[in-house]
Amino acid sequence: MVSSDRSPLYALGHWGMHRVIRDTQGQPQLLAWEKDANPSPIGLDQLSVDVEALRIRRPAFRESWLRHGPGSRTDLRGSDRFVEVSWDKAFELTGAELRRVTETYGNKAIFGGSYGWGSAGRFHHASSQIHRFLNVIGGYVRGQDSYSYGAGSVILPHIIAPMEYLLDQHTDWATLADNSDLFVAFGGIPLRNTQMTAGGPSRHRVRDALALMRSRNVRFINISPLRQDIDGDAEWIAIRPNTDVALMLALIHVLLSDNIEDRDFLARYCTGAAQVREYVLGRKDGLPKSPEWASTITGVPASRIRSLAREMSGSKTMINASWSLQRQSHGEQSYWALVTLASHIGQIGLPGGGFGLGYGTLNSIGSSELRVSGPRLSQGANSVEEFIPVARISDMLMNPGARFDYDGGTYEYPDIRLVYWAGGNPFHHHQNLNRLMTAWQKPETIIVHEQFWTSTAKAADIVMPVNTALERNDLGFASREGQLVAMRKIKDAVGESRSDFEIFAGIASVMGVGEKYTEGRTADQWLEHMYDDFRSRVGSQIPLPSFHEFWEMGRVEFPSPGGPVILLEQFRADPDEHPLNTPSHRIELFSDEIDGFGYSDCPGQATWIEPFEWLGGDKATRYPLHLLTQEPRRRLHSQLDHSPYSREGKIKGREPVLMNARDAKVRGISENDIVRIYNDRGACLAGVKVTQDLAENVAVMATGAWFDPENWGDGNPLEKHGNPNVLTLDVGSSSMTQATVAQSCLVEIELFNGPLPEVTAFELPVFTTCVSKA
Ligand SMILES: Nc1nc2c(c(=O)[nH]1)N[C@H]1C(S)=C(S)[C@@H](COP(=O)(O)OP(=O)(O)OC[C@H]3O[C@@H](n4cnc5c(=O)[nH]c(N)nc54)[C@H](O)[C@@H]3O)O[C@H]1N2
Ligand SMILES: Nc1nc2c(c(=O)[nH]1)N[C@H]1C(S)=C(S)[C@@H](COP(=O)(O)OP(=O)(O)OC[C@H]3O[C@@H](n4cnc5c(=O)[nH]c(N)nc54)[C@H](O)[C@@H]3O)O[C@H]1N2
Ligand SMILES: [Mo]
C-alpha cells in the first residue's frame, strides 16, 4: 500500500504509541507520542542493535530432526545445532510433517494452544493466524482460559458474570474520583502494569487518574506485601502472601458482629448470605473467622482489621483485587471472597463503591472510552473437541490419557505428537520450567514461529522467522482505547523473515488448502476487508472515512461517550429487568452448582483453604521465603528483555530480586550481591536489591528474564539469568479451574560465591550445514 510521505507514521505496541520520524539517512526512529502525557519507555529500543542482533533470519531446522527425522534426540532440544534452509524447503518439510501427524494420529495429536501475547495489530495477530491455519487443516487441541486470570474467569460466571464482561464495565476513574472516599487495593494499583493494554494503549491514563482521585481526597489503602504496589501516598497494610481470603472473611465477620452488613442488599441482590453467615461465624466448624483468627494467618493486627471493616462500610468504598490474587493456590477463592465482602458492604452498582477486579493491571481498565468490538480475523471452526486448561501443558505432555477435573466435568489429556506455537514463549511463561523441559522432550515435532532466538525458539525442531510489527502493515485497535491506528510498515524485514500469515499461507499451499486459508486475499487486501467490515458494523456510532483516507490520516479517534460507567449499575437499578446470568439470576454467595460438583478444594461458598505453599505452612521451615513474581517494569513479559532498557535494570546481568533488609542481613547478603534462589524444583541466580518496603520473609522478582539453564535436558540445572519460573509450582489451583498458581512459591536464598557463569540467553544458537536425509 502506498501512502504519501506526509502521512504521519505511528508504531503501536502493547506498551503504547510511538511517533516515527526519519533521520538524515532516512532511517526510522521511534519517539514518545506527543499526545501521551505519560508514555512508556518500553518499546523505544525496538530498533536497537541489541534487539536486532537476536532476530531469526532464515527458516531453521534442528540438526538431529533434519538428519534423522521426527522424534530424534529430543533430549537435545535447546542445545542442538540448527540448519538454515530455503522457504520452499521449509514449507515442503513442514507441510509433509503436518500431513504425516494428522494422517497417522489425527488432528487431536496437534497441540495448537499457542498461548501468548504476540504483537499489537489485529490482522497479524499471531494466535488468530495460527488458530485459523490449524482449523483449515482439520483442527487442534486448544488451551482454554488464560495465565492472566484463569481461576477468576472460570468461577465468576457461576457467581456473578463473565470476567471479560465485568472488566469491560469497570467503573471509570473519573466517576471514582467524583464519588469514592476510600479505595482499598488488594495487590495495589501498580502504575508499572498500567503501561500495557493488549493491542496497544492510546494515552496512558492511570497516573493522572490517581492524581485526580487524590486531589478529591480519595484515600488509598494498599494491602500487599510490597509497599510500591501503589505509587504515591497510601496507607500500607503489609499482608502475608496468599492470605487475603482470610482477611476478607474477617472483615465480613466484623460487619456481621457489628450488625452493619447491608441486609437489604443481601436480600435483594444475592443468594447464600445465610450459608456465608454460618461459615464466617463458625456455626458449623466451630471456628469463627474473627479478626483474631485472621491476624495469625495474615500478619495484620486484629485491631486494624476491625477498624478497617468499619471504615469500609462507613464510607463510599471501592475494593479492588489485582489479578495476581487469583494466580495462586485456590485463587478462585480470592475473587469469590471479594464479591462476598463487597455484597455485605452493599455498594455494588453505585458510583464510587463496589468492587474491582484488576484496576492497575492494564491501561484499559477504568477507561470511559467507547465500548466496541474491533476489527477481527475469523479463525474458523475447530473440529477437535479436546482441550486443556491452558496452564496444564506439562501435565498433558507427560500424562496422555490421564483424567482431570475442570468446571464440573471430567476430561482426558490427549496424546500430543506435535506442538505448534506462534506468538508466545512457554519457556518464559510456564511454571516449573525444569519440569517443562522434561515434558517438552515428548512430542515428535515442535514448530515455533518467532522473531527472536528466545529459549522457546532454541528448543524447537522447526523455527520460522517472523517479521516484526514495524515491518508490516496492520490495523491497530484495543478495547476501550478509543482509536484505530494505521500501523504502516516503517522498515524492511530483517533477513528473510515473513509474517505469520505469509508463512501459514506457504504451508497451506503445499498442503493443498492455500485458497481456503487466504480466501484469495493478500495481507493488504485483508486489512481493507477487515476495515470495511468494522466500518459497516460500527455504522454511525463511529464515523469512519474510506480505507484509503484512513490509511493517509494515520489514525482515527473515536467519539468519546465520557462517563459515567458504573459496574452493574443496571442490575442494581432493577435486578428483575437486568438479571444476572447465574442460575438464581442473583449474585451467588453460595452456589448450588459449584457445591454440587463436590470438590473438596472448591466448596459451595468462598472459603479459606490453606495454600499449597505459604509462610504459615510446614514447608516454610525448609524454604522460609515466599517468592512473588510480578510483571516486569522494563518489558512486556519476556518481550524486549534483550533491549538496552531492560538490561539496564539488571545486576551483573541478572534479574534483580527484592529482599527485606532483615532477611538479607541474617543471610549475610548485601545490595547488588549475586544470590542463588532455590527450592526442590530448581535454582536460579539473581542480583539483590534490599528494601524496607517489603514484608519480612517475602522476596519479589519480575518475570521475563530469558530462560538460561546451564544445560538443557533432565535434572535441575542452575538457571543463570534470573528466570523465576524454574522455582514456581506447576499444579492446578483447584479441581474447579486448574489455573496457574505462580504466586504460591516458597524458596530459600543464599549468597552465591562460585565463579559467575556467563549469561548465554542472548546468544544465537550454533548453525551448521548438513546433508539432508533425502
Ligand atoms: N511466575 C510467573 N509466571 C508468569 C506470570 C506470573 O505472574 N508469574 N504471568 C503469566 C501471565 S499473566 C502471562 S499473560 C504470561 C505471558 O506469556 P507470553 O505471552 O508467552 O509472553 P511474551 O513474552 O509476551 O511472549 C510472546 C512471544 O511472542 C513473540 N512474538 C511477538 N510478536 C510476534 C508475532 O507477530 N508472531 C510470532 N510468531 N511471534 C511473535 C515474542 O517475540 C515473544 O517471544 O506469562 C505468565 N507467566
Ligand atoms: N509493565 C508491564 N505491565 C504489564 C505486564 C508486563 O509484562 N509488563 N503484563 C500484563 C499482564 S499479561 C497481566 S496478566 C497483568 C497482571 O496484573 P497483576 O496480576 O495485577 O500484576 P502482578 O504484577 O503480578 O501483581 C501485582 C502485585 O500483586 C502483589 N501480590 C502478589 N501476590 C499477592 C498476594 O497473595 N496478596 C496480595 N495482597 N498481593 C499480592 C505483588 O506484590 C505484585 O506486585 O499485568 C499486565 N501489565
Ligand atoms: Mo497476563
Side-chain angles (χ1 to χ4, degrees):
M1 263 172 292
V2 271
S3 301
S4 72
D5 289 344
R6 277 172 301 143
S7 313
L9 270 180
Y10 300 107
L12 183 67
H14 296 304
W15 37 77
M17 286 265 284
H18 298 311
R19 176 66 107 132
V20 185
I21 55 158
R22 304 237 174 238
D23 67 15
T24 45
Q25 270 91 51
Q27 294 305 311
Q29 289 186 335
L30 303 178
L31 303 178
W33 182 39
E34 62 280 4
K35 292 197 172 154
D36 186 349
N38 185 26
S40 165
I42 298 175
L44 287 172
D45 286 343
Q46 281 174 95
L47 297 168
S48 67
V49 177
D50 307 72
V51 169
E52 294 290 57
L54 281 160
R55 287 294 293 279
I56 301 170
R57 294 172 167 269
R58 298 190 69 202
F61 283 63
R62 190 168 70 83
E63 185 184 14
S64 311
W65 191 98
L66 195 59
R67 259 184 210 281
H68 308 296
S72 300
R73 293 304 307 272
T74 58
D75 57 313
L76 291 181
R77 285 192 180 127
S79 55
D80 212 346
R81 299 187 296 186
F82 280 91
V83 181
E84 295 184 324
V85 304
S86 70
W87 275 115
D88 282 348
K89 176 126 192 185
F91 291 152
E92 182 202 314
L93 289 173
T94 306
E97 175 58 1
L98 286 165
R99 205 174 296 121
R100 180 190 75 85
V101 170
T102 51
E103 281 171 7
T104 318
Y105 309 107
N107 281 66
K108 64 180 191 311
I110 298 179
F111 181 62
S114 193
Y115 185 84
W117 269 56
S119 293
R122 293 309 306 152
F123 174 67
H124 293 291
H125 181 238
S127 66
S128 300
Q129 293 287 353
I130 186 174
H131 294 150
R132 180 179 166 85
F133 169 76
L134 291 173
N135 285 336
V136 162
I137 66 160
Y140 64 98
V141 173
R142 66 188 200 281
Q144 189 133 304
D145 317 322
S146 66
Y147 280 81
S148 309
Y149 45 72
S153 66
V154 175
I155 197 160
L156 284 167
H158 294 274
I159 64 179
I160 180 160
M163 179 102 177
E164 280 73 17
Y165 170 86
L166 295 170
L167 290 179
D168 216 34
Q169 312 275 336
H170 265 45
T171 303
D172 69 282
W173 291 111
T175 301
L176 292 178
D178 285 344
N179 297 282
S180 303
D181 305 314
L182 182 62
F183 193 115
V184 178
F186 290 87
I189 321 166
L191 286 180
R192 161 190 101 239
N193 288 355
T194 64
Q195 293 179 98
M196 303 298 164
T197 291
S202 49
R203 298 168 176 87
H204 287 85
R205 58 176 71 84
V206 181
R207 182 196 63 182
D208 293 347
L210 296 186
L212 178 70
M213 288 171 73
R214 287 199 172 92
S215 76
R216 305 275 173 84
N217 298 319
V218 181
R219 195 155 62 85
F220 288 88
I221 300 181
N222 174 28
I223 303 182
S224 168
L226 181 62
R227 187 194 285 268
Q228 288 93 351
D229 277 340
I230 288 187
D231 306 66
D233 199 29
E235 177 189 345
W236 179 36
I237 297 181
I239 191 169
R240 202 171 275 157
N242 291 202
T243 66
D244 304 79
V245 170
L247 177 55
M248 293 176 195
L249 292 171
L251 291 166
I252 299 170
H253 188 277
V254 178
L255 300 176
L256 295 175
S257 309
D258 284 10
N259 283 315
I260 51 171
E261 82 277 18
D262 190 330
R263 270 178 233 122
D264 293 340
F265 187 90
L266 293 171
R268 183 144 196 244
Y269 301 101
C270 306
T271 61
Q275 286 100 321
V276 171
R277 184 183 182 86
E278 204 169 69
Y279 171 68
V280 169
L281 297 180
R283 296 272 157 78
K284 254 199 202 145
D285 59 4
L287 186 68
K289 313 303 173 295
S290 65
E292 285 69 23
W293 167 82
S295 181
T296 58
I297 295 172
T298 60
V300 180
S303 57
R304 185 65 193 105
I305 299 176
R306 243 181 217 106
S307 56
L308 179 61
R310 291 166 189 159
E311 283 163 33
M312 287 165 86
S313 97
S315 43
K316 189 62 70 64
T317 304
M318 171 52 73
I319 320 167
N320 181 60
S322 64
W323 294 347
S324 58
L325 246 79
Q326 53 78 70
R327 284 204 302 285
Q328 53 179 255
S329 171
H330 311 97
E332 310 79 28
Q333 305 304 322
S334 312
Y335 278 14
W336 207 348
L338 182 83
V339 171
T340 306
L341 171 60
S343 298
H344 281 74
I345 293 173
Q347 298 175 6
I348 294 171
L350 295 179
F355 68 90
L357 303 169
Y359 285 109
T361 57
L362 297 174
N363 186 54
S364 52
I365 298 188
S367 156
S368 57
E369 297 292 348
L370 199 64
R371 260 165 292 178
V372 56
S373 132
R376 51 176 176 241
L377 174 71
S378 161
Q379 300 185 8
N382 189 350
S383 31
V384 171
E385 278 178 7
E386 279 84 350
F387 73 96
I388 57 163
V390 71
R392 301 276 52 81
I393 177 171
S394 294
D395 286 354
M396 170 187 71
L397 295 176
M398 293 168 102
N399 311 302
R403 297 173 82 76
F404 64 92
D405 294 316
Y406 172 77
D407 199 5
T410 307
Y411 305 88
E412 215 171 80
Y413 288 122
D415 188 358
I416 296 301
R417 306 297 173 130
L418 185 147
V419 170
Y420 207 144
W421 225 290
N425 189 356
F427 277 98
H428 143 68
H429 69 228
H430 193 55
Q431 285 55 69
N432 196 346
L433 291 179
N434 288 319
R435 184 167 185 253
L436 180 65
M437 258 201 292
T438 307
W440 200 251
Q441 294 178 20
K442 293 268 180 142
E444 291 162 21
T445 296
I446 295 179
I447 311 173
V448 170
H449 291 195
E450 248 300 346
Q451 299 164 330
F452 302 101
W453 279 108
T454 62
S455 34
T456 300
K458 287 177 186 167
D461 300 319
I462 301 177
V463 181
M464 302 288 194
V466 178
N467 57 15
T468 65
L470 305 177
E471 298 164 352
R472 56 201 188 201
N473 293 320
D474 212 336
L475 298 174
F477 171 90
S479 180
R480 307 300 298 274
E481 291 291 353
Q483 65 171 357
L484 188 69
V485 182
M487 296 171 65
R488 286 164 48 194
K489 172 176 169 170
I490 63 164
K491 67 188 272 285
D492 289 332
V494 163
E496 296 176 18
S497 62
R498 296 184 183 178
S499 67
D500 293 290
F501 170 76
E502 291 166 303
I503 299 168
F504 287 126
I507 304 168
S509 164
V510 302
M511 295 180 78
V513 288
E515 180 74 19
K516 208 168 159 200
Y517 177 70
T518 63
E519 291 179 29
R521 293 188 190 95
T522 63
D524 286 347
Q525 286 166 340
W526 269 104
L527 299 192
E528 192 164 347
H529 174 74
M530 285 167 63
Y531 180 91
D532 288 342
D533 171 68
F534 177 65
R535 190 180 178 206
S536 68
R537 263 193 297 119
V538 296
S540 58
Q541 206 184 4
I542 309 174
L544 286 171
S546 74
F547 178 72
H548 294 278
E549 282 170 87
F550 157 73
W551 201 251
E552 285 290 314
M553 288 161 66
R555 60 184 283 273
V556 171
E557 215 159 297
F558 304 160
S560 179
V565 182
I566 300 163
L567 181 65
L568 296 171
E569 181 184 28
Q570 292 186 320
F571 169 65
R572 183 174 187 114
D574 190 338
D576 296 318
E577 194 61 31
H578 303 282
L580 299 177
N581 208 6
T582 58
S584 63
H585 304 301
R586 298 291 187 265
I587 300 172
E588 303 223 339
L589 306 186
F590 184 91
S591 161
D592 287 323
E593 211 168 47
I594 295 174
D595 187 52
F597 296 159
Y599 300 140
S600 60
D601 55 359
C602 187
Q605 94 246 333
T607 303
W608 162 252
I609 303 172
E610 187 177 339
F612 303 135
E613 293 191 11
W614 69 303
L615 292 172
D618 296 341
K619 282 188 200 156
T621 47
R622 259 181 88 203
Y623 296 116
L625 299 172
H626 194 123
L627 179 70
L628 296 176
T629 45
Q630 56 174 206
E631 303 296 350
R633 178 184 299 278
R634 289 174 177 267
R635 54 183 177 261
L636 170 65
H637 315 128
S638 69
Q639 294 195 48
L640 297 174
D641 186 37
H642 49 324
S643 71
Y645 181 61
S646 178
R647 290 200 212 182
E648 274 158 27
K650 309 212 180 210
I651 297 171
K652 297 179 190 138
R654 327 287 146 158
E655 194 59 30
V657 59
L658 220 54
M659 291 183 77
N660 169 283
R662 194 203 62 112
D663 293 331
K665 193 158 176 240
V666 297
R667 289 170 177 78
I669 294 169
S670 320
E671 182 90 358
N672 294 328
D673 278 349
I674 297 296
V675 290
R676 178 174 165 269
I677 311 180
Y678 66 98
N679 59 22
D680 290 338
R681 294 178 287 269
C684 72
L685 298 182
V688 171
K689 281 190 176 170
V690 176
T691 178
Q692 303 283 359
D693 291 340
L694 179 62
E696 281 187 10
N697 305 313
V698 179
V700 175
M701 271 179 99
T703 60
W706 284 16
F707 179 56
D708 197 11
E710 274 204 311
N711 52 66
W712 284 74
D714 291 327
N716 282 2
L718 178 68
E719 200 283 335
K720 303 177 285 184
H721 190 201
N723 184 317
N725 272 328
V726 297
L727 302 159
T728 48
L729 177 65
D730 178 24
V731 299
S733 56
S734 76
S735 316
M736 177 72 197
T737 74
Q738 301 289 358
T740 177
V741 299
Q743 307 303 338
S744 303
C745 175
L746 292 177
V747 299
E748 179 53 293
I749 300 184
E750 64 182 17
L751 199 60
F752 182 77
N753 284 319
L756 255 191
E758 218 182 307
V759 172
T760 48
F762 301 136
E763 286 177 8
L764 298 173
V766 177
F767 295 98
T768 180
T769 45
C770 133
V771 188
S772 93
K773 58 174 176 159

